[in-house]
PDB file of all heavy atoms in Angstrom:
ATOM      1  N   GLY A   5      21.577  -0.045 -10.332  1.00 95.00           N
ATOM      2  CA  GLY A   5      21.450  -1.503 -10.379  1.00 95.00           C
ATOM      3  C   GLY A   5      20.869  -2.062  -9.091  1.00 95.00           C
ATOM      4  O   GLY A   5      20.012  -2.940  -9.108  1.00 95.00           O
ATOM      5  N   LEU A   6      21.338  -1.515  -7.953  1.00 94.00           N
ATOM      6  CA  LEU A   6      20.813  -1.960  -6.658  1.00 94.00           C
ATOM      7  C   LEU A   6      19.327  -1.622  -6.538  1.00 94.00           C
ATOM      8  O   LEU A   6      18.528  -2.445  -6.078  1.00 94.00           O
ATOM      9  CB  LEU A   6      21.605  -1.294  -5.527  1.00 94.00           C
ATOM     10  CG  LEU A   6      21.251  -1.729  -4.110  1.00 94.00           C
ATOM     11  CD1 LEU A   6      21.487  -3.224  -3.941  1.00 94.00           C
ATOM     12  CD2 LEU A   6      22.079  -0.951  -3.097  1.00 94.00           C
ATOM     13  N   HIS A   7      18.968  -0.440  -7.008  1.00 95.00           N
ATOM     14  CA  HIS A   7      17.552  -0.047  -6.995  1.00 95.00           C
ATOM     15  C   HIS A   7      16.728  -0.998  -7.860  1.00 95.00           C
ATOM     16  O   HIS A   7      15.642  -1.447  -7.464  1.00 95.00           O
ATOM     17  CB  HIS A   7      17.405   1.397  -7.487  1.00 95.00           C
ATOM     18  CG  HIS A   7      15.996   1.842  -7.636  1.00 95.00           C
ATOM     19  ND1 HIS A   7      15.184   2.078  -6.559  1.00 95.00           N
ATOM     20  CD2 HIS A   7      15.242   2.070  -8.739  1.00 95.00           C
ATOM     21  CE1 HIS A   7      13.983   2.431  -6.999  1.00 95.00           C
ATOM     22  NE2 HIS A   7      13.998   2.443  -8.318  1.00 95.00           N
ATOM     23  N   ARG A   8      17.267  -1.315  -9.041  1.00 95.00           N
ATOM     24  CA  ARG A   8      16.560  -2.222  -9.943  1.00 95.00           C
ATOM     25  C   ARG A   8      16.432  -3.611  -9.333  1.00 95.00           C
ATOM     26  O   ARG A   8      15.378  -4.248  -9.415  1.00 95.00           O
ATOM     27  CB  ARG A   8      17.313  -2.295 -11.270  1.00 95.00           C
ATOM     28  CG  ARG A   8      16.579  -3.096 -12.303  1.00 95.00           C
ATOM     29  CD  ARG A   8      17.058  -2.779 -13.702  1.00 95.00           C
ATOM     30  NE  ARG A   8      16.237  -3.523 -14.646  1.00 95.00           N
ATOM     31  CZ  ARG A   8      16.717  -4.389 -15.517  1.00 95.00           C
ATOM     32  NH1 ARG A   8      18.010  -4.596 -15.589  1.00 95.00           N
ATOM     33  NH2 ARG A   8      15.920  -5.034 -16.325  1.00 95.00           N
ATOM     34  N   VAL A   9      17.514  -4.095  -8.706  1.00 96.00           N
ATOM     35  CA  VAL A   9      17.481  -5.414  -8.063  1.00 96.00           C
ATOM     36  C   VAL A   9      16.440  -5.417  -6.944  1.00 96.00           C
ATOM     37  O   VAL A   9      15.652  -6.365  -6.815  1.00 96.00           O
ATOM     38  CB  VAL A   9      18.885  -5.795  -7.531  1.00 96.00           C
ATOM     39  CG1 VAL A   9      18.812  -6.969  -6.572  1.00 96.00           C
ATOM     40  CG2 VAL A   9      19.808  -6.118  -8.683  1.00 96.00           C
ATOM     41  N   ARG A  10      16.430  -4.358  -6.141  1.00 96.00           N
ATOM     42  CA  ARG A  10      15.434  -4.276  -5.051  1.00 96.00           C
ATOM     43  C   ARG A  10      14.017  -4.252  -5.614  1.00 96.00           C
ATOM     44  O   ARG A  10      13.116  -4.900  -5.076  1.00 96.00           O
ATOM     45  CB  ARG A  10      15.685  -3.033  -4.200  1.00 96.00           C
ATOM     46  CG  ARG A  10      16.847  -3.173  -3.269  1.00 96.00           C
ATOM     47  CD  ARG A  10      17.026  -1.934  -2.425  1.00 96.00           C
ATOM     48  NE  ARG A  10      18.183  -2.080  -1.541  1.00 96.00           N
ATOM     49  CZ  ARG A  10      18.850  -1.068  -1.039  1.00 96.00           C
ATOM     50  NH1 ARG A  10      18.501   0.169  -1.315  1.00 96.00           N
ATOM     51  NH2 ARG A  10      19.878  -1.292  -0.246  1.00 96.00           N
ATOM     52  N   THR A  11      13.825  -3.490  -6.693  1.00 96.00           N
ATOM     53  CA  THR A  11      12.500  -3.418  -7.315  1.00 96.00           C
ATOM     54  C   THR A  11      12.078  -4.796  -7.823  1.00 96.00           C
ATOM     55  O   THR A  11      10.940  -5.228  -7.601  1.00 96.00           O
ATOM     56  CB  THR A  11      12.510  -2.398  -8.471  1.00 96.00           C
ATOM     57  OG1 THR A  11      12.909  -1.128  -7.956  1.00 96.00           O
ATOM     58  CG2 THR A  11      11.152  -2.277  -9.110  1.00 96.00           C
ATOM     59  N   LEU A  12      12.994  -5.487  -8.495  1.00 96.00           N
ATOM     60  CA  LEU A  12      12.672  -6.828  -8.997  1.00 96.00           C
ATOM     61  C   LEU A  12      12.421  -7.798  -7.848  1.00 96.00           C
ATOM     62  O   LEU A  12      11.517  -8.648  -7.920  1.00 96.00           O
ATOM     63  CB  LEU A  12      13.809  -7.344  -9.889  1.00 96.00           C
ATOM     64  CG  LEU A  12      13.974  -6.629 -11.234  1.00 96.00           C
ATOM     65  CD1 LEU A  12      15.236  -7.098 -11.934  1.00 96.00           C
ATOM     66  CD2 LEU A  12      12.753  -6.857 -12.109  1.00 96.00           C
ATOM     67  N   TRP A  13      13.200  -7.693  -6.766  1.00 97.00           N
ATOM     68  CA  TRP A  13      13.020  -8.559  -5.598  1.00 97.00           C
ATOM     69  C   TRP A  13      11.652  -8.315  -4.966  1.00 97.00           C
ATOM     70  O   TRP A  13      10.928  -9.252  -4.641  1.00 97.00           O
ATOM     71  CB  TRP A  13      14.147  -8.306  -4.596  1.00 97.00           C
ATOM     72  CG  TRP A  13      13.983  -9.073  -3.330  1.00 97.00           C
ATOM     73  CD1 TRP A  13      13.727  -8.570  -2.091  1.00 97.00           C
ATOM     74  CD2 TRP A  13      14.039 -10.497  -3.149  1.00 97.00           C
ATOM     75  NE1 TRP A  13      13.628  -9.562  -1.171  1.00 97.00           N
ATOM     76  CE2 TRP A  13      13.810 -10.771  -1.790  1.00 97.00           C
ATOM     77  CE3 TRP A  13      14.245 -11.553  -4.009  1.00 97.00           C
ATOM     78  CZ2 TRP A  13      13.801 -12.056  -1.273  1.00 97.00           C
ATOM     79  CZ3 TRP A  13      14.228 -12.834  -3.484  1.00 97.00           C
ATOM     80  CH2 TRP A  13      14.018 -13.071  -2.138  1.00 97.00           C
ATOM     81  N   ARG A  14      11.299  -7.035  -4.826  1.00 96.00           N
ATOM     82  CA  ARG A  14       9.982  -6.714  -4.252  1.00 96.00           C
ATOM     83  C   ARG A  14       8.866  -7.231  -5.158  1.00 96.00           C
ATOM     84  O   ARG A  14       7.854  -7.752  -4.675  1.00 96.00           O
ATOM     85  CB  ARG A  14       9.840  -5.202  -4.061  1.00 96.00           C
ATOM     86  CG  ARG A  14      10.649  -4.682  -2.908  1.00 96.00           C
ATOM     87  CD  ARG A  14      10.478  -3.188  -2.731  1.00 96.00           C
ATOM     88  NE  ARG A  14      11.371  -2.682  -1.702  1.00 96.00           N
ATOM     89  CZ  ARG A  14      12.019  -1.548  -1.778  1.00 96.00           C
ATOM     90  NH1 ARG A  14      11.874  -0.760  -2.816  1.00 96.00           N
ATOM     91  NH2 ARG A  14      12.813  -1.165  -0.795  1.00 96.00           N
ATOM     92  N   SER A  15       9.054  -7.081  -6.456  1.00 97.00           N
ATOM     93  CA  SER A  15       8.058  -7.580  -7.401  1.00 97.00           C
ATOM     94  C   SER A  15       7.912  -9.097  -7.270  1.00 97.00           C
ATOM     95  O   SER A  15       6.792  -9.618  -7.251  1.00 97.00           O
ATOM     96  CB  SER A  15       8.471  -7.200  -8.820  1.00 97.00           C
ATOM     97  OG  SER A  15       7.582  -7.742  -9.753  1.00 97.00           O
ATOM     98  N   ALA A  16       9.045  -9.783  -7.165  1.00 97.00           N
ATOM     99  CA  ALA A  16       8.998 -11.251  -7.004  1.00 97.00           C
ATOM    100  C   ALA A  16       8.313 -11.616  -5.692  1.00 97.00           C
ATOM    101  O   ALA A  16       7.502 -12.553  -5.640  1.00 97.00           O
ATOM    102  CB  ALA A  16      10.411 -11.825  -7.053  1.00 97.00           C
ATOM    103  N   GLN A  17       8.624 -10.883  -4.626  1.00 97.00           N
ATOM    104  CA  GLN A  17       7.982 -11.154  -3.332  1.00 97.00           C
ATOM    105  C   GLN A  17       6.485 -10.893  -3.412  1.00 97.00           C
ATOM    106  O   GLN A  17       5.687 -11.647  -2.852  1.00 97.00           O
ATOM    107  CB  GLN A  17       8.608 -10.283  -2.236  1.00 97.00           C
ATOM    108  CG  GLN A  17       9.965 -10.763  -1.791  1.00 97.00           C
ATOM    109  CD  GLN A  17      10.538  -9.891  -0.686  1.00 97.00           C
ATOM    110  OE1 GLN A  17      10.328  -8.683  -0.659  1.00 97.00           O
ATOM    111  NE2 GLN A  17      11.252 -10.512   0.228  1.00 97.00           N
ATOM    112  N   ARG A  18       6.093  -9.799  -4.097  1.00 97.00           N
ATOM    113  CA  ARG A  18       4.661  -9.501  -4.242  1.00 97.00           C
ATOM    114  C   ARG A  18       3.949 -10.614  -5.000  1.00 97.00           C
ATOM    115  O   ARG A  18       2.848 -11.015  -4.631  1.00 97.00           O
ATOM    116  CB  ARG A  18       4.473  -8.172  -4.976  1.00 97.00           C
ATOM    117  CG  ARG A  18       4.700  -6.969  -4.114  1.00 97.00           C
ATOM    118  CD  ARG A  18       4.330  -5.671  -4.850  1.00 97.00           C
ATOM    119  NE  ARG A  18       4.854  -4.545  -4.122  1.00 97.00           N
ATOM    120  CZ  ARG A  18       5.788  -3.739  -4.556  1.00 97.00           C
ATOM    121  NH1 ARG A  18       6.315  -3.905  -5.745  1.00 97.00           N
ATOM    122  NH2 ARG A  18       6.213  -2.728  -3.813  1.00 97.00           N
ATOM    123  N   LYS A  19       4.585 -11.101  -6.072  1.00 97.00           N
ATOM    124  CA  LYS A  19       3.969 -12.179  -6.848  1.00 97.00           C
ATOM    125  C   LYS A  19       3.816 -13.434  -5.996  1.00 97.00           C
ATOM    126  O   LYS A  19       2.769 -14.084  -6.027  1.00 97.00           O
ATOM    127  CB  LYS A  19       4.801 -12.482  -8.093  1.00 97.00           C
ATOM    128  CG  LYS A  19       4.668 -11.434  -9.169  1.00 97.00           C
ATOM    129  CD  LYS A  19       5.528 -11.760 -10.369  1.00 97.00           C
ATOM    130  CE  LYS A  19       5.451 -10.655 -11.410  1.00 97.00           C
ATOM    131  NZ  LYS A  19       6.341 -10.902 -12.541  1.00 97.00           N
ATOM    132  N   ALA A  20       4.848 -13.756  -5.232  1.00 97.00           N
ATOM    133  CA  ALA A  20       4.778 -14.945  -4.371  1.00 97.00           C
ATOM    134  C   ALA A  20       3.688 -14.768  -3.317  1.00 97.00           C
ATOM    135  O   ALA A  20       2.893 -15.691  -3.068  1.00 97.00           O
ATOM    136  CB  ALA A  20       6.130 -15.188  -3.696  1.00 97.00           C
ATOM    137  N   LYS A  21       3.636 -13.589  -2.698  1.00 97.00           N
ATOM    138  CA  LYS A  21       2.609 -13.323  -1.680  1.00 97.00           C
ATOM    139  C   LYS A  21       1.225 -13.337  -2.314  1.00 97.00           C
ATOM    140  O   LYS A  21       0.265 -13.835  -1.716  1.00 97.00           O
ATOM    141  CB  LYS A  21       2.883 -11.969  -1.013  1.00 97.00           C
ATOM    142  CG  LYS A  21       2.062 -11.721   0.219  1.00 97.00           C
ATOM    143  CD  LYS A  21       2.432 -12.693   1.301  1.00 97.00           C
ATOM    144  CE  LYS A  21       1.753 -12.325   2.604  1.00 97.00           C
ATOM    145  NZ  LYS A  21       2.071 -13.261   3.660  1.00 97.00           N
ATOM    146  N   ASP A  22       1.113 -12.808  -3.535  1.00 97.00           N
ATOM    147  CA  ASP A  22      -0.160 -12.813  -4.256  1.00 97.00           C
ATOM    148  C   ASP A  22      -0.640 -14.250  -4.470  1.00 97.00           C
ATOM    149  O   ASP A  22      -1.809 -14.567  -4.207  1.00 97.00           O
ATOM    150  CB  ASP A  22       0.015 -12.095  -5.598  1.00 97.00           C
ATOM    151  CG  ASP A  22      -1.254 -12.060  -6.406  1.00 97.00           C
ATOM    152  OD1 ASP A  22      -2.249 -11.475  -5.927  1.00 97.00           O
ATOM    153  OD2 ASP A  22      -1.259 -12.617  -7.521  1.00 97.00           O
ATOM    154  N   ARG A  23       0.288 -15.133  -4.959  1.00 97.00           N
ATOM    155  CA  ARG A  23      -0.084 -16.545  -5.151  1.00 97.00           C
ATOM    156  C   ARG A  23      -0.507 -17.176  -3.832  1.00 97.00           C
ATOM    157  O   ARG A  23      -1.512 -17.892  -3.759  1.00 97.00           O
ATOM    158  CB  ARG A  23       1.090 -17.317  -5.750  1.00 97.00           C
ATOM    159  CG  ARG A  23       1.255 -17.172  -7.229  1.00 97.00           C
ATOM    160  CD  ARG A  23       2.239 -18.189  -7.797  1.00 97.00           C
ATOM    161  NE  ARG A  23       3.552 -18.132  -7.187  1.00 97.00           N
ATOM    162  CZ  ARG A  23       4.536 -17.337  -7.582  1.00 97.00           C
ATOM    163  NH1 ARG A  23       4.366 -16.535  -8.607  1.00 97.00           N
ATOM    164  NH2 ARG A  23       5.702 -17.360  -6.972  1.00 97.00           N
ATOM    165  N   GLU A  24       0.264 -16.894  -2.773  1.00 97.00           N
ATOM    166  CA  GLU A  24      -0.037 -17.475  -1.458  1.00 97.00           C
ATOM    167  C   GLU A  24      -1.406 -17.010  -0.963  1.00 97.00           C
ATOM    168  O   GLU A  24      -2.213 -17.817  -0.490  1.00 97.00           O
ATOM    169  CB  GLU A  24       1.060 -17.044  -0.479  1.00 97.00           C
ATOM    170  CG  GLU A  24       0.897 -17.599   0.911  1.00 97.00           C
ATOM    171  CD  GLU A  24       1.997 -17.094   1.843  1.00 97.00           C
ATOM    172  OE1 GLU A  24       3.152 -16.932   1.378  1.00 97.00           O
ATOM    173  OE2 GLU A  24       1.688 -16.857   3.018  1.00 97.00           O
ATOM    174  N   LEU A  25      -1.678 -15.714  -1.089  1.00 97.00           N
ATOM    175  CA  LEU A  25      -2.963 -15.188  -0.632  1.00 97.00           C
ATOM    176  C   LEU A  25      -4.114 -15.737  -1.470  1.00 97.00           C
ATOM    177  O   LEU A  25      -5.193 -16.038  -0.942  1.00 97.00           O
ATOM    178  CB  LEU A  25      -2.952 -13.659  -0.663  1.00 97.00           C
ATOM    179  CG  LEU A  25      -2.073 -12.984   0.388  1.00 97.00           C
ATOM    180  CD1 LEU A  25      -2.032 -11.480   0.161  1.00 97.00           C
ATOM    181  CD2 LEU A  25      -2.555 -13.292   1.795  1.00 97.00           C
ATOM    182  N   ARG A  26      -3.888 -15.866  -2.775  1.00 97.00           N
ATOM    183  CA  ARG A  26      -4.950 -16.427  -3.629  1.00 97.00           C
ATOM    184  C   ARG A  26      -5.241 -17.881  -3.241  1.00 97.00           C
ATOM    185  O   ARG A  26      -6.398 -18.301  -3.215  1.00 97.00           O
ATOM    186  CB  ARG A  26      -4.565 -16.331  -5.104  1.00 97.00           C
ATOM    187  CG  ARG A  26      -4.644 -14.914  -5.623  1.00 97.00           C
ATOM    188  CD  ARG A  26      -4.358 -14.821  -7.116  1.00 97.00           C
ATOM    189  NE  ARG A  26      -4.247 -13.455  -7.544  1.00 97.00           N
ATOM    190  CZ  ARG A  26      -5.278 -12.666  -7.843  1.00 97.00           C
ATOM    191  NH1 ARG A  26      -6.494 -13.137  -7.748  1.00 97.00           N
ATOM    192  NH2 ARG A  26      -5.084 -11.430  -8.223  1.00 97.00           N
ATOM    193  N   GLN A  27      -4.197 -18.650  -2.922  1.00 97.00           N
ATOM    194  CA  GLN A  27      -4.403 -20.032  -2.470  1.00 97.00           C
ATOM    195  C   GLN A  27      -5.158 -20.042  -1.144  1.00 97.00           C
ATOM    196  O   GLN A  27      -6.091 -20.840  -0.958  1.00 97.00           O
ATOM    197  CB  GLN A  27      -3.060 -20.746  -2.324  1.00 97.00           C
ATOM    198  CG  GLN A  27      -2.394 -21.083  -3.631  1.00 97.00           C
ATOM    199  CD  GLN A  27      -0.996 -21.651  -3.457  1.00 97.00           C
ATOM    200  OE1 GLN A  27      -0.429 -21.624  -2.370  1.00 97.00           O
ATOM    201  NE2 GLN A  27      -0.423 -22.160  -4.548  1.00 97.00           N
ATOM    202  N   ASP A  28      -4.767 -19.149  -0.227  1.00 97.00           N
ATOM    203  CA  ASP A  28      -5.466 -19.066   1.058  1.00 97.00           C
ATOM    204  C   ASP A  28      -6.931 -18.711   0.854  1.00 97.00           C
ATOM    205  O   ASP A  28      -7.822 -19.290   1.495  1.00 97.00           O
ATOM    206  CB  ASP A  28      -4.799 -18.024   1.971  1.00 97.00           C
ATOM    207  CG  ASP A  28      -3.447 -18.478   2.499  1.00 97.00           C
ATOM    208  OD1 ASP A  28      -3.114 -19.678   2.338  1.00 97.00           O
ATOM    209  OD2 ASP A  28      -2.726 -17.633   3.069  1.00 97.00           O
ATOM    210  N   ILE A  29      -7.191 -17.758  -0.041  1.00 97.00           N
ATOM    211  CA  ILE A  29      -8.570 -17.356  -0.315  1.00 97.00           C
ATOM    212  C   ILE A  29      -9.353 -18.522  -0.909  1.00 97.00           C
ATOM    213  O   ILE A  29     -10.509 -18.753  -0.533  1.00 97.00           O
ATOM    214  CB  ILE A  29      -8.604 -16.117  -1.247  1.00 97.00           C
ATOM    215  CG1 ILE A  29      -8.153 -14.875  -0.481  1.00 97.00           C
ATOM    216  CG2 ILE A  29      -9.991 -15.907  -1.827  1.00 97.00           C
ATOM    217  CD1 ILE A  29      -7.942 -13.661  -1.339  1.00 97.00           C
ATOM    218  N   GLU A  30      -8.735 -19.266  -1.807  1.00 97.00           N
ATOM    219  CA  GLU A  30      -9.410 -20.420  -2.412  1.00 97.00           C
ATOM    220  C   GLU A  30      -9.746 -21.465  -1.343  1.00 97.00           C
ATOM    221  O   GLU A  30     -10.860 -21.988  -1.311  1.00 97.00           O
ATOM    222  CB  GLU A  30      -8.533 -21.031  -3.516  1.00 97.00           C
ATOM    223  CG  GLU A  30      -9.171 -22.185  -4.246  1.00 97.00           C
ATOM    224  CD  GLU A  30     -10.420 -21.796  -5.004  1.00 97.00           C
ATOM    225  OE1 GLU A  30     -10.521 -20.650  -5.470  1.00 97.00           O
ATOM    226  OE2 GLU A  30     -11.317 -22.649  -5.112  1.00 97.00           O
ATOM    227  N   ILE A  31      -8.790 -21.739  -0.470  1.00 97.00           N
ATOM    228  CA  ILE A  31      -9.015 -22.712   0.609  1.00 97.00           C
ATOM    229  C   ILE A  31     -10.123 -22.219   1.530  1.00 97.00           C
ATOM    230  O   ILE A  31     -11.039 -22.976   1.886  1.00 97.00           O
ATOM    231  CB  ILE A  31      -7.712 -22.969   1.393  1.00 97.00           C
ATOM    232  CG1 ILE A  31      -6.722 -23.738   0.513  1.00 97.00           C
ATOM    233  CG2 ILE A  31      -7.984 -23.734   2.685  1.00 97.00           C
ATOM    234  CD1 ILE A  31      -5.315 -23.809   1.074  1.00 97.00           C
ATOM    235  N   LEU A  32     -10.052 -20.944   1.911  1.00 97.00           N
ATOM    236  CA  LEU A  32     -11.083 -20.387   2.795  1.00 97.00           C
ATOM    237  C   LEU A  32     -12.446 -20.379   2.114  1.00 97.00           C
ATOM    238  O   LEU A  32     -13.468 -20.634   2.755  1.00 97.00           O
ATOM    239  CB  LEU A  32     -10.699 -18.970   3.232  1.00 97.00           C
ATOM    240  CG  LEU A  32      -9.522 -18.879   4.199  1.00 97.00           C
ATOM    241  CD1 LEU A  32      -9.132 -17.425   4.418  1.00 97.00           C
ATOM    242  CD2 LEU A  32      -9.849 -19.543   5.522  1.00 97.00           C
ATOM    243  N   SER A  33     -12.462 -20.108   0.817  1.00 97.00           N
ATOM    244  CA  SER A  33     -13.716 -20.118   0.074  1.00 97.00           C
ATOM    245  C   SER A  33     -14.327 -21.518   0.061  1.00 97.00           C
ATOM    246  O   SER A  33     -15.529 -21.689   0.278  1.00 97.00           O
ATOM    247  CB  SER A  33     -13.470 -19.636  -1.357  1.00 97.00           C
ATOM    248  OG  SER A  33     -14.637 -19.728  -2.116  1.00 97.00           O
ATOM    249  N   GLN A  34     -13.487 -22.532  -0.185  1.00 97.00           N
ATOM    250  CA  GLN A  34     -13.988 -23.917  -0.170  1.00 97.00           C
ATOM    251  C   GLN A  34     -14.470 -24.310   1.216  1.00 97.00           C
ATOM    252  O   GLN A  34     -15.528 -24.937   1.356  1.00 97.00           O
ATOM    253  CB  GLN A  34     -12.883 -24.865  -0.643  1.00 97.00           C
ATOM    254  CG  GLN A  34     -12.540 -24.726  -2.106  1.00 97.00           C
ATOM    255  CD  GLN A  34     -11.322 -25.542  -2.493  1.00 97.00           C
ATOM    256  OE1 GLN A  34     -10.712 -26.206  -1.669  1.00 97.00           O
ATOM    257  NE2 GLN A  34     -10.965 -25.487  -3.778  1.00 97.00           N
ATOM    258  N   THR A  35     -13.715 -23.916   2.238  1.00 97.00           N
ATOM    259  CA  THR A  35     -14.119 -24.215   3.616  1.00 97.00           C
ATOM    260  C   THR A  35     -15.448 -23.536   3.927  1.00 97.00           C
ATOM    261  O   THR A  35     -16.354 -24.144   4.508  1.00 97.00           O
ATOM    262  CB  THR A  35     -13.037 -23.741   4.610  1.00 97.00           C
ATOM    263  OG1 THR A  35     -11.802 -24.376   4.279  1.00 97.00           O
ATOM    264  CG2 THR A  35     -13.424 -24.080   6.033  1.00 97.00           C
ATOM    265  N   PHE A  36     -15.575 -22.266   3.524  1.00 97.00           N
ATOM    266  CA  PHE A  36     -16.815 -21.528   3.757  1.00 97.00           C
ATOM    267  C   PHE A  36     -17.983 -22.199   3.047  1.00 97.00           C
ATOM    268  O   PHE A  36     -19.075 -22.342   3.619  1.00 97.00           O
ATOM    269  CB  PHE A  36     -16.650 -20.078   3.274  1.00 97.00           C
ATOM    270  CG  PHE A  36     -17.875 -19.245   3.437  1.00 97.00           C
ATOM    271  CD1 PHE A  36     -18.243 -18.760   4.680  1.00 97.00           C
ATOM    272  CD2 PHE A  36     -18.669 -18.938   2.337  1.00 97.00           C
ATOM    273  CE1 PHE A  36     -19.374 -18.001   4.834  1.00 97.00           C
ATOM    274  CE2 PHE A  36     -19.798 -18.176   2.484  1.00 97.00           C
ATOM    275  CZ  PHE A  36     -20.162 -17.693   3.736  1.00 97.00           C
ATOM    276  N   SER A  37     -17.744 -22.650   1.800  1.00 97.00           N
ATOM    277  CA  SER A  37     -18.806 -23.329   1.049  1.00 97.00           C
ATOM    278  C   SER A  37     -19.235 -24.611   1.758  1.00 97.00           C
ATOM    279  O   SER A  37     -20.435 -24.896   1.865  1.00 97.00           O
ATOM    280  CB  SER A  37     -18.328 -23.659  -0.364  1.00 97.00           C
ATOM    281  OG  SER A  37     -18.115 -22.487  -1.089  1.00 97.00           O
ATOM    282  N   ARG A  38     -18.246 -25.391   2.256  1.00 97.00           N
ATOM    283  CA  ARG A  38     -18.594 -26.623   2.981  1.00 97.00           C
ATOM    284  C   ARG A  38     -19.390 -26.307   4.240  1.00 97.00           C
ATOM    285  O   ARG A  38     -20.395 -26.976   4.541  1.00 97.00           O
ATOM    286  CB  ARG A  38     -17.327 -27.396   3.333  1.00 97.00           C
ATOM    287  CG  ARG A  38     -16.736 -28.173   2.195  1.00 97.00           C
ATOM    288  CD  ARG A  38     -15.703 -29.185   2.667  1.00 97.00           C
ATOM    289  NE  ARG A  38     -14.619 -28.600   3.430  1.00 97.00           N
ATOM    290  CZ  ARG A  38     -13.498 -28.106   2.919  1.00 97.00           C
ATOM    291  NH1 ARG A  38     -13.314 -28.127   1.615  1.00 97.00           N
ATOM    292  NH2 ARG A  38     -12.562 -27.608   3.700  1.00 97.00           N
ATOM    293  N   VAL A  39     -18.960 -25.290   4.991  1.00 97.00           N
ATOM    294  CA  VAL A  39     -19.670 -24.914   6.221  1.00 97.00           C
ATOM    295  C   VAL A  39     -21.084 -24.455   5.883  1.00 97.00           C
ATOM    296  O   VAL A  39     -22.049 -24.830   6.564  1.00 97.00           O
ATOM    297  CB  VAL A  39     -18.884 -23.815   6.985  1.00 97.00           C
ATOM    298  CG1 VAL A  39     -19.715 -23.213   8.089  1.00 97.00           C
ATOM    299  CG2 VAL A  39     -17.595 -24.386   7.547  1.00 97.00           C
ATOM    300  N   MET A  40     -21.217 -23.651   4.806  1.00 97.00           N
ATOM    301  CA  MET A  40     -22.551 -23.171   4.415  1.00 97.00           C
ATOM    302  C   MET A  40     -23.442 -24.329   3.979  1.00 97.00           C
ATOM    303  O   MET A  40     -24.623 -24.373   4.325  1.00 97.00           O
ATOM    304  CB  MET A  40     -22.437 -22.129   3.294  1.00 97.00           C
ATOM    305  CG  MET A  40     -21.892 -20.787   3.761  1.00 97.00           C
ATOM    306  SD  MET A  40     -22.813 -20.054   5.116  1.00 97.00           S
ATOM    307  CE  MET A  40     -24.376 -19.776   4.356  1.00 97.00           C
ATOM    308  N   ASP A  41     -22.879 -25.292   3.233  1.00 97.00           N
ATOM    309  CA  ASP A  41     -23.654 -26.462   2.828  1.00 97.00           C
ATOM    310  C   ASP A  41     -24.117 -27.249   4.047  1.00 97.00           C
ATOM    311  O   ASP A  41     -25.271 -27.692   4.120  1.00 97.00           O
ATOM    312  CB  ASP A  41     -22.822 -27.369   1.901  1.00 97.00           C
ATOM    313  CG  ASP A  41     -22.606 -26.760   0.531  1.00 97.00           C
ATOM    314  OD1 ASP A  41     -23.337 -25.811   0.173  1.00 97.00           O
ATOM    315  OD2 ASP A  41     -21.690 -27.237  -0.180  1.00 97.00           O
ATOM    316  N   CYS A  42     -23.221 -27.415   5.019  1.00 97.00           N
ATOM    317  CA  CYS A  42     -23.556 -28.134   6.251  1.00 97.00           C
ATOM    318  C   CYS A  42     -24.680 -27.406   6.992  1.00 97.00           C
ATOM    319  O   CYS A  42     -25.648 -28.018   7.435  1.00 97.00           O
ATOM    320  CB  CYS A  42     -22.308 -28.259   7.127  1.00 97.00           C
ATOM    321  SG  CYS A  42     -22.585 -29.140   8.668  1.00 97.00           S
TER     322      CYS A  42
END
């Protein structure tokens, strides 16, 4: 059960980090596009 809880916790953390990184990438992509347009 502890192993399963840890696995689920890590999975939840990975999903949260994945969302955070995708948002960061989107922001950086928009910033890069604005800089390139400028």
Side-chain angles (χ1 to χ4, degrees):
L6 184 60
H7 174 71
R8 186 160 184 238
V9 166
R10 284 182 181 156
T11 302
L12 291 172
W13 176 247
R14 286 181 186 140
S15 176
Q17 284 181 325
R18 282 187 194 114
K19 286 179 183 176
K21 191 65 172 179
D22 180 61
R23 279 192 303 273
E24 181 182 324
L25 289 174
R26 287 184 188 277
Q27 288 174 349
D28 289 349
I29 288 171
E30 183 63 31
I31 291 169
L32 290 173
S33 176
Q34 291 172 359
T35 303
F36 179 76
S37 294
R38 282 194 303 272
V39 168
M40 287 305 296
D41 289 343
C42 181

